[in-house]
Amino acid sequence: MQVLVTGGAGYIGSHTVLSLLENNVDVIVYDNLVNSSIESIDRVEKLTGKKVEFVEGDICDKEKLSRVFKQFSIDAVIHFAALKAVGESAEIPLSYYQNNVHGTVCLLEVMQQHKVHNFIFSSSATVYGEENNVPYVETMKLGTPSSPYGASKVMVERILADLALSDSKFRAVSLRYFNPIGAHESGAIGEDPKGIPNNLLPYVAQVAVGKRDKLRIFGDDYPTKDGSCERDYLHVMDLAQGHVAALDWLNRHPDFSGVEAFNLGTGNGVSVFAIVKAFEQAINKKIPFEVSPRRVGDLPAFWANASKANKELNWQANRSLEQMMTDTWRWQSKNPNGFLI
Ligand code: NAD
Ligand code: UD1
């Protein structure tokens, strides 16, 4: 089986490519490296002892994409390629819609031309918006996310639904990720944000390694147990295996057509203070922090109802919070400058 992985050099993509190779799936990565380094792919090849075909290209470049579909016999596409910084998406919304929405339409058009019907999409818990109560379950209506980034994910989910109505051969799985953290247990690949990290764990890890002075905790006056926000953090290797499970689900359901959404999370909410404590315990060192005002757009608490993925995908997020912290630290301490070598 051959799978095209767009955005496969990125954080979740590189871990998923590793899991796919370990499951004997051949992988072609298509990435423009706007937010990643080819070094991640080299390391995946070293870790697995297997070859990855790599094509540097933009998903908006339909001619280049088409050449890839001609060159390889592609059975399915896993589509990670997107811009993902929530704050930035409010500053340059057109770039986000161009890249995330138009780019996905280009990819779907080329797939259709080449009669490739199997599609796995990187969606997000953000599609539940502010309207839905926790825990989020797939039967809820799509919400209204507060950022253009979130809106781009809702738009793509709508596009997939419309495409499925028009094309009875189209088979899509939308994986709604909660908060992936951690790194491969080797410490050879991990999350390598450019500039100041937006997300919690990369920031905490950079404080721990001495690259940043202290963490700012955005709000301690939320209606939660300790006043800080709660999220559903899952290990990136569990998330990677969720993609292998989704591919397997498509293979096990040859008569399926349409779009099926699955939440990928642990089902537990963990607070920012609890994350800091868990990280301190894992590295046996204090993380300096201060409490700052709330961040615009943050919801107090959300986590997944992951029963559907547990049951239908035979998938579960098994790795513990402790392992998420230890693996983050192994990656960060072995690679203080990320993939810059
Ligand atoms: P990432 O930035 O590490 O990976 C995205 C990859 O896509 C990068 O390698 C980047 O170079 C590539 N890319 C971006 N635009 C492209 C384009 N036009 N053409 C080709 N390649 C392009 O991000 P990630 O954290 O690995 O996220 C992967 C996917 O999962 C994204 O779609 C993201 O929105 C989604 N997601 C991420 C999270 C999270 O917490 N990390 C949560 C929910 C959903
Ligand atoms: C954010 C995005 C979400 C996106 C996800 C992955 C928002 C509102 N949501 O999720 O759409 O899918 O990233 O890219 O931005 N925190 C701090 N200090 C920090 C950083 C974070 O206290 O320096 C807190 C935040 O307030 C939040 C928690 O840590 O409560 C997790 O934050 P983050 O890692 O950015 O994830 P989300 O906000 O859940």
Side-chain angles (χ1 to χ4, degrees):
M1 177 166 211
Q2 290 212 88
V3 174
L4 179 74
V5 181
T6 73
Y11 171 47
I12 306 170
S14 55
H15 290 80
T16 301
V17 168
L18 186 142
S19 281
L20 290 166
L21 294 172
E22 283 176 343
N23 283 276
N24 299 317
V25 175
D26 293 333
V27 176
I28 303 116
V29 167
Y30 187 89
D31 197 308
N32 65 1
L33 303 178
V34 67
N35 197 39
S36 53
S37 159
I38 185 74
E39 176 68 16
S40 65
I41 298 295
D42 289 346
R43 295 196 185 179
V44 167
E45 287 185 330
K46 283 198 188 94
L47 286 168
T48 57
K50 292 188 176 173
K51 171 103 188 82
V52 177
E53 295 289 346
F54 178 78
V55 181
E56 187 171 343
D58 195 299
I59 47 168
C60 299
D61 184 344
K62 285 167 61 177
E63 278 176 24
K64 194 174 244 185
L65 264 181
S66 203
R67 284 201 293 277
V68 174
F69 279 83
K70 269 193 206 126
Q71 189 184 346
F72 300 97
S73 165
I74 294 167
D75 300 296
V77 174
I78 304 183
H79 178 38
F80 292 103
L83 299 175
K84 62 156 186 178
V86 174
E88 183 187 66
S89 77
E91 287 158 23
I92 46 168
L94 297 182
S95 301
Y96 273 69
Y97 291 126
Q98 164 74 11
N99 204 70
N100 296 5
V101 182
H102 171 72
T104 304
V105 171
C106 290
L107 174 62
L108 291 167
E109 281 175 343
V110 176
M111 283 177 64
Q112 210 170 38
Q113 278 160 15
H114 292 270
K115 302 192 170 35
V116 175
H117 307 295
N118 296 310
F119 190 70
I120 297 178
F121 175 59
S122 291
S123 191
S124 165
T126 194
V127 301
Y128 291 104
E130 294 181 15
E131 295 91 335
N132 290 300
N133 295 322
V134 292
Y136 294 150
V137 60
E138 295 87 345
T139 47
M140 289 171 169
K141 284 208 171 110
L142 291 175
T144 320
S146 57
S147 70
Y149 164 75
S152 77
K153 294 291 174 191
V154 170
M155 287 178 193
V156 171
E157 287 218 11
R158 293 233 165 90
I159 290 168
L160 297 181
D162 286 340
L163 181 55
L165 285 177
S166 75
D167 176 357
S168 62
K169 291 206 172 78
F170 186 62
R171 295 150 46 79
V173 169
S174 225
L175 297 178
R176 297 177 179 162
Y177 313 155
F178 282 67
N179 288 57
I181 59 171
H184 185 256
E185 61 185 9
S186 63
I189 55 170
E191 187 167 13
D192 180 19
K194 296 216 175 10
I196 302 170
N198 299 305
N199 297 115
L200 179 62
L201 244 285
Y203 204 104
V204 170
Q206 290 196 4
V207 171
V209 85
K211 279 182 84 176
R212 315 255 161 224
D213 288 354
K214 61 180 169 217
L215 171 72
R216 264 168 288 279
I217 294 184
F218 299 138
D220 66 351
D221 55 353
Y222 284 99
T224 56
K225 264 183 248 133
D226 63 20
S228 65
C229 294
E230 292 171 356
R231 296 288 182 270
D232 185 338
Y233 297 94
L234 77 158
H235 196 293
V236 68
M237 284 310 300
D238 281 329
L239 182 58
Q241 281 156 4
H243 294 76
V244 177
L247 205 55
D248 180 55
W249 184 88
L250 281 169
N251 287 336
R252 283 189 286 115
H253 294 81
D255 297 331
F256 163 79
S257 68
V259 190
E260 204 68 38
F262 294 97
N263 288 340
L264 297 185
T266 62
N268 301 313
V270 176
S271 76
V272 180
F273 285 120
I275 287 284
V276 172
K277 201 167 157 206
F279 200 83
E280 288 178 339
Q281 275 169 357
I283 68 167
N284 201 16
K285 191 170 147 187
K286 284 278 171 208
I287 300 292
F289 70 83
E290 68 180 19
V291 175
S292 297
R294 292 178 176 195
R295 183 172 68 177
V296 176
D298 272 345
L299 295 176
F302 60 83
W303 58 89
N305 173 331
S307 316
K308 186 176 171 190
N310 299 162
K311 211 165 118 197
E312 293 192 33
L313 298 182
N314 298 323
W315 172 90
Q316 196 135 22
N318 288 319
R319 292 166 176 84
S320 67
L321 193 61
E322 188 191 351
Q323 190 170 350
M324 298 181 213
M325 302 300 148
T326 322
D327 291 341
T328 301
W329 180 237
R330 193 175 300 109
W331 152 252
Q332 184 69 56
S333 51
K334 281 175 114 176
N335 305 273
N337 297 314
F339 288 114
L340 266 186
I341 41 172

